[in-house]
Structure formats: C-alpha cells, structure tokens
Amino acid sequence: MAKKAVPKWTIEETIQIGKEAQKLSQSKLQELEPRLSAGLLGGLPADITQLESLLTGRPAKTQEVKGLTGAEADIAKKGARWVGAVREMVKRRARGAGLPKAVGVGMQVYQGNSKSTASALETVLAAARENPEEIRACGILETDLQRGQAMLDALAGARNTQDIGMKDKKDLTTQKNTIQIRIEKAIEEISTAGYFHFMETEPVLAQRFKDLIPSSGGKKGGSPEEPPAAEEKK
C-alpha cells in the first residue's frame, strides 16, 4: 500500500516561505518562467491565500464559498480580457478567415464566468498550437501563450479548490494537506530552478533561492550554523 503523502513543513513555514518564493520569483519572472511548470506561478497566490484561511480555523461555509467564487471570478475576468485582446490582434492582422475562426473571433466570452472563459482560453491555445507561424505573424509571442496557459491552469485550480470546499467541508485536514503539499512542491521547484539559473551569474541571489527550502532542522537553507567562538583562556 502506497504511503500517504503528508506536508514536510509546518503550515506557518509553508505560508511564510511561499510568500517569499512568490516575491523572489516575480522579481526574476522572465528568467525563471521557462524553467518552471506551466501555471505554477499563476496558481501559487491562490493556494497561499487558501492555506492562510485554513490556518485560522474553519470559516463559515457561506464565507468560504464566497471567497473562492470571488477568486475564481477574478481569474475568469483576466482570462476573458486576454482572450479578447488576442482575438482582436488576430482579427486585424491575420491573412484570410481561417485563423480568426480558429481562435473564436466573433464568439461571446462572458466575463466572470469561469466555464465560458476556460472554453475560450482552450480554443485560443489549441489554435495557437495548430497554427504557430500564423499566430506569431499576428504579433503574439510564446510568452503570451504561456501567460494564457497559466491563466487556464490557475482557473482550473481555483475551480478545483472551490469544489473541494463545497463537497468535502468536513475533511479540512485533507484539504489543508493537499494545498500545502502543492505549495511545498512549488517552493522546491522555484528554489532549485532559481539556484541553478543564477549560481554562476548572481551567486548571492542564487543563495537566496536555495535558502527557501528549510533544512531538516527546521531552518531554511541547510547550511550549518557557525560554531560558537572558543572561550579565551585566562
């Protein structure tokens, strides 16, 4: 029987380090994003917020669902704006009607509606995969598509978290562990990627990334503490 996964750190440590990892990675977003899993940075803030709510105790069900729905709606609004902007670029610059039709030009996207936005995001990203040269000719870069994918992943994560809150409210421990393990894995990914990327060019920054991961003793970094100075002989 497989051993059940459990968090490695305390919930307080995970929240604190998660915020540090988020801030540090945002300062070097362009360099780090290609080394990280798609959607990782997009989903981390929502996970941290949810874990913080679990730290303070079980919220009232209506308040919990309201918060989750609000987060999901915010992501959906951002995704809908992104889809609209991409479609406008394609509409103005594509040759022929094939690509505009493929990305869904003329189709309605309901802002704040997660299902509508997710469907539109998937449509645009699928068209981009099938027509990479045509998409690039419209001025849409790979980094733009990565952002769209990140929003789709974040939206899926928010919807999944909301479902957990609604269907499994009695098992807060399982919910907490699921989110906390996901954050811990994100921290480890950010830490190792940042250290590797900057260890030659910016060693001080690289060490900051490395120090995100607590040692087995509970302190971040894993470097041994400096031994106490020997007493001076009288």
Side-chain angles (χ1 to χ4, degrees), residues 19-20 24 26 32 38 46-47 52 58 69 71 84 96 115 123 128 144-145 158 168 175 198 202 207 211 215 222 232:
K19 290 180 177 180
E20 290 180 26
L24 198 56
Q26 286 296 324
L32 280 183
D47 278 344
E52 283 184 304
R58 182 178 179 176
T69 303
K115 291 183 180 180
T123 297
D144 300 321
L145 299 175
D168 204 14
Q175 185 180 355
F198 295 109
E202 299 183 60
Q207 189 63 42
D211 287 346
S215 66
E232 185 180 344

Side-chain angles (χ1 to χ4, degrees), residues 17-147:
I17 303 169
K19 290 180 177 180
E20 290 180 26
Q22 179 188 342
K23 183 177 179 181
L24 198 56
S25 59
Q26 286 296 324
S27 69
K28 293 292 182 178
L29 184 61
Q30 290 184 342
E31 294 95 328
L32 280 183
E33 199 164 37
R35 297 188 182 277
L36 301 175
S37 299
L40 184 146
L41 294 179
L44 183 58
D47 278 344
I48 293 173
T49 298
Q50 179 64 3
L51 191 60
E52 283 184 304
S53 74
L54 293 170
L55 172 64
T56 58
R58 182 178 179 176
K61 183 60 187 172
T62 53
Q63 189 66 28
E64 178 185 351
V65 173
K66 181 180 178 182
L68 292 169
T69 303
E72 184 179 348
D74 287 342
I75 298 170
K77 288 177 182 177
K78 291 178 182 178
R81 287 196 297 269
W82 183 87
V83 168
V86 169
R87 286 177 174 175
E88 185 66 18
M89 291 180 73
V90 171
K91 177 182 176 181
R92 301 295 180 185
R93 297 179 60 172
R95 296 180 180 179
L99 187 59
K101 183 177 180 181
V103 299
V105 170
M107 296 177 64
Q108 182 71 43
V109 181
Y110 298 96
Q111 288 202 15
N113 184 305
S114 61
K115 291 183 180 180
S116 175
T117 300
S119 178
L121 284 166
E122 289 171 349
T123 297
V124 171
L125 293 170
R129 287 192 297 269
E130 294 172 5
N131 307 276
E133 294 181 6
E134 292 88 342
I135 281 286
R136 179 66 183 83
C138 293
I140 300 164
L141 308 180
E142 180 61 30
T143 52
D144 300 321
L145 299 175
Q146 290 173 357
R147 185 182 172 207

Side-chain angles (χ1 to χ4, degrees), residues 138-212:
C138 293
I140 300 164
L141 308 180
E142 180 61 30
T143 52
D144 300 321
L145 299 175
Q146 290 173 357
R147 185 182 172 207
Q149 183 65 56
M151 284 189 286
L152 180 59
D153 293 341
L155 188 57
R159 291 173 64 187
N160 181 58
T161 304
Q162 183 180 5
D163 289 341
I164 292 174
M166 294 179 67
K167 297 176 181 177
D168 204 14
K169 64 180 180 179
K170 293 182 180 180
D171 196 353
L172 290 180
T173 299
T174 298
Q175 185 180 355
K176 179 197 78 72
N177 288 350
T178 298
I179 297 170
Q180 186 172 342
I181 290 169
R182 191 160 63 229
I183 294 173
E184 289 176 357
K185 288 180 178 178
I187 291 169
E188 290 177 338
E189 190 169 329
I190 290 169
S191 175
T192 53
Y195 177 73
F196 182 74
H197 188 86
F198 295 109
M199 64 181 180
E200 298 295 340
T201 57
E202 299 183 60
V204 174
L205 178 61
Q207 189 63 42
R208 288 182 65 191
F209 277 101
K210 185 176 183 180
D211 287 346
L212 288 171

